[in-house]
Amino acid sequence: PEEFVYGEEDFVLQAAGWGDPDSAPSRFDRVLLAGWTDRMERGLFRYRLGALPTRVLPGPVRLVAQLNEQRSAERRPPQPVRSLRDPFDPGAFNFTRLRPAELLFRLRRTGGPGPPPDPLLVAINASPLERGHVLLLPEPARRLPQVLTAPALHGALEAALLSAHPGFCVGFNGLGGGASVNHLHLHGLFLGRPLPLEEAPAEPLGPRLGLLRAGPAPGFLFFASGPAALEPVSRAVCRAAEHLAGAGLAYNVLATRGDPPAGPGSGGGRGLRVLLWARRPLFGPKAGEPFAVALCELAGLLPLPAEPLYRNITEAQALSAIRQHLLPEPELLQLGGELARLLQN
């Protein structure tokens, strides 16, 4: 694939506002969306993605429900996962098998700040959630399992800062936390509306860690005020994720534009909020579950597989489905204390 070479001058420090999110797309946005649209027209996706029915569920959490029947019916079945430490399986589907046309470009930084992250391949997600939904892949030939690494997260966070769209976010589903392919990858997608976790204040747990209770699932909040903070934040998130895995917990990560941890009006500009969710691992589908729970659902976006469910689901039902995967409050707070001490050392 062609290279998308960028430098510090390409970072968009203040994205467009939600009042006009498409007002001034960046070079990254234009290249990504043009390539993505071209692949859609060429029939390289599993289905054509049109406008998706969307509604906000009544209730204080303001969950966003979206009907995407084709993804449920047409996507590749998730790989069976047996443990949090499953090795890469060359016999299962993996990203070395992508067709060349599914690759859009390779991201590579030159110049500062600090050492550049590993290059990332940007490929279409053939079963998209939203327009512009892509995969961010460290070199697939390395055959790394789906365990988050600091260089991969650093590259994905830089990709988030290359977009001028307020809703472009990047995320990761770990093994036992909704990952469908055991080959290291992150997701990038353009959300169509803001989520509460962008600005809600967090409870401080330590100098670099907070607990964010906004949305359907409390998560641990890290914050990068600008490009120079992305590498140390990536290392901190991955240290925390490794601690979770060592405790037998699965995890999901989402990075989105947002206010400092103390919330809007607390001083300092917007940056990147990085959420780390700890959860009970789930291996295989759960009987009776109305929808699978991965990073989108934890963030408050519910891609739903069937029209009756989309039409009738209530906030209480959705929260019940999500929260059965989460930790009890005492366990979550104890874990927060452990992470705060870990990151101070």
Side-chain angles (χ1 to χ4, degrees), residues 31 104 112 320:
V31 171
L104 300 180
S320 174

Side-chain angles (χ1 to χ4, degrees), residues 289-302:
E289 198 172 42
F291 51 82
V293 175
L295 71 93
C296 286
E297 292 78 8
L298 294 171
L301 174 67
L302 311 179

Side-chain angles (χ1 to χ4, degrees), residues 4-13 26-28 108 110 158 161-164 257:
F4 184 100
V5 179
Y6 64 96
E8 189 171 7
E9 68 278 3
D10 291 294
F11 291 133
V12 181
L13 301 183
S26 67
R27 180 169 69 98
F28 173 83
R108 181 170 66 84
T110 59
E158 290 200 349
L161 281 193
L162 291 172
S163 176
R257 301 272 182 172

Side-chain angles (χ1 to χ4, degrees), residues 320-340:
S320 174
I322 292 168
R323 289 175 176 168
Q324 64 180 313
H325 296 276
L326 306 181
L327 306 182
E329 173 102 348
E331 197 172 328
L332 182 72
L333 294 176
Q334 179 183 338
L335 186 61
E338 293 172 7
L339 294 180

Side-chain angles (χ1 to χ4, degrees), residues 247-304:
L249 298 171
Y251 59 90
N252 304 77
V253 175
L254 177 78
T256 181
R257 301 272 182 172
D259 289 293
S266 59
R270 283 167 69 87
L272 281 184
R273 285 185 162 203
V274 185
L275 268 294
L276 171 68
W277 286 285
R279 56 184 291 173
R280 303 279 186 222
L282 177 65
F283 304 117
K286 188 165 186 174
E289 198 172 42
F291 51 82
V293 175
L295 71 93
C296 286
E297 292 78 8
L298 294 171
L301 174 67
L302 311 179
L304 298 176

Side-chain angles (χ1 to χ4, degrees), residues 2-314:
E2 295 182 9
E3 285 205 326
F4 184 100
V5 179
Y6 64 96
E8 189 171 7
E9 68 278 3
D10 291 294
F11 291 133
V12 181
L13 301 183
Q14 295 298 324
W18 277 107
D20 189 8
D22 300 309
S23 58
S26 67
R27 180 169 69 98
F28 173 83
D29 296 325
R30 292 192 299 270
V31 171
L32 188 157
L33 290 170
W36 194 93
T37 302
D38 169 73
R39 280 25 171 222
M40 180 64 74
E41 294 301 321
R42 289 160 59 183
L44 292 171
F45 290 80
R46 287 176 168 255
Y47 48 86
R48 288 192 67 85
L49 186 73
L52 296 170
T54 303
R55 72 185 187 97
V56 177
L57 302 188
V61 182
R62 308 287 293 164
L63 296 171
V64 178
Q66 205 164 53
L67 178 61
N68 193 335
E69 294 173 295
Q70 290 171 294
R71 178 174 166 84
S72 173
E74 304 292 340
R75 69 180 297 202
R76 181 183 293 106
Q79 290 176 11
V81 175
R82 294 169 295 278
S83 80
L84 300 175
R85 304 288 187 184
D86 267 11
F88 175 85
D89 178 3
F93 172 80
N94 62 78
F95 299 118
T96 66
R97 302 183 184 181
L98 292 179
R99 295 168 289 181
E102 294 181 73
L103 304 176
L104 300 180
F105 51 84
R106 176 183 277 105
L107 278 173
R108 181 170 66 84
R109 171 156 71 79
T110 59
D118 290 348
L120 290 178
L121 284 171
V122 180
I124 62 170
N125 187 320
S127 302
L129 285 164
E130 295 269 10
R131 174 174 172 259
H133 184 181
V134 293
L135 301 172
L136 305 172
L137 309 172
E139 178 50 57
R142 294 169 64 193
R143 301 185 170 201
L144 298 172
Q146 183 67 349
V147 176
L148 191 58
T149 68
L153 179 58
H154 182 192
L157 297 185
E158 290 200 349
L161 281 193
L162 291 172
S163 176
H165 191 285
F168 184 75
C169 60
V170 298
F172 176 87
N173 293 318
L175 297 177
S180 60
V181 178
N182 186 14
H183 192 183
L184 183 54
H185 66 287
L186 295 96
H187 295 266
L189 64 160
F190 294 83
L191 300 184
R193 60 183 68 210
L195 297 172
L197 51 78
E198 292 180 21
E199 61 178 24
E203 302 167 20
L205 297 176
R208 293 181 290 170
L209 184 69
L211 178 65
L212 187 71
R213 295 182 182 274
F220 298 111
L221 177 66
F222 302 75
F223 184 73
S225 57
L230 299 182
E231 194 269 339
V233 164
S234 300
R235 280 191 284 108
V237 172
C238 287
R239 282 190 76 192
E242 188 178 338
H243 182 83
L244 298 185
L249 298 171
Y251 59 90
N252 304 77
V253 175
L254 177 78
T256 181
R257 301 272 182 172
D259 289 293
S266 59
R270 283 167 69 87
L272 281 184
R273 285 185 162 203
V274 185
L275 268 294
L276 171 68
W277 286 285
R279 56 184 291 173
R280 303 279 186 222
L282 177 65
F283 304 117
K286 188 165 186 174
E289 198 172 42
F291 51 82
V293 175
L295 71 93
C296 286
E297 292 78 8
L298 294 171
L301 174 67
L302 311 179
L304 298 176
E307 200 277 334
L309 178 64
Y310 167 77
R311 184 177 65 244
N312 297 322
I313 193 168
T314 65

